[in-house]
Amino acid sequence: RYPKPELPFVDFAREMVIGYFLGERPTGGYVVEVEEIWVMEGKVSVRVGVRSPPPGDPVIQVLSQPFHLVRLARLDLPVDFIVESGSEAGRD
């Protein structure tokens, strides 16, 4: 983007960033969203929703790299991702 947006401030002594990256996809229309974060049994659990464009839907013909970053209070615990996949038209 131009002009380049300012980077958000993160105080890594008190905060952390959790991110989920889907990798390269052949078109637009893919969505990644961190939907819920909770702490239980000595770990941070992160529920991530991943949606693909429904078959036949028009999508932009460009390589995309969907991701979602979330800033939260620092937790010195392991992180576990729970990924739920589906499509925009409904869960598969």
Side-chain angles (χ1 to χ4, degrees), residues 10-89:
V10 179
D11 179 358
F12 284 104
R14 298 183 329 181
E15 299 173 308
M16 63 190 245
V17 176
I18 289 179
Y20 192 83
F21 297 80
L22 194 53
E24 190 167 273
R25 296 294 178 242
T27 66
Y30 292 86
V31 178
V32 174
E33 184 176 9
V34 173
E35 297 176 341
E36 186 177 12
I37 300 173
W38 68 95
V39 177
M40 188 180 345
E41 299 176 3
K43 68 181 177 182
V44 179
S45 294
V46 181
R47 185 168 55 88
V48 178
V50 175
R51 293 183 297 283
S52 303
D57 268 17
V59 292
I60 188 167
Q61 297 298 304
V62 63
L63 297 176
S64 62
Q65 299 85 25
F67 68 94
H68 191 188
L69 300 173
V70 177
R71 180 175 63 184
L72 63 152
R74 183 179 173 145
L75 300 165
D76 291 322
L77 298 170
V79 178
D80 182 39
F81 289 92
I82 302 160
V83 180
E84 297 178 351
S85 297
S87 69
E88 287 291 331

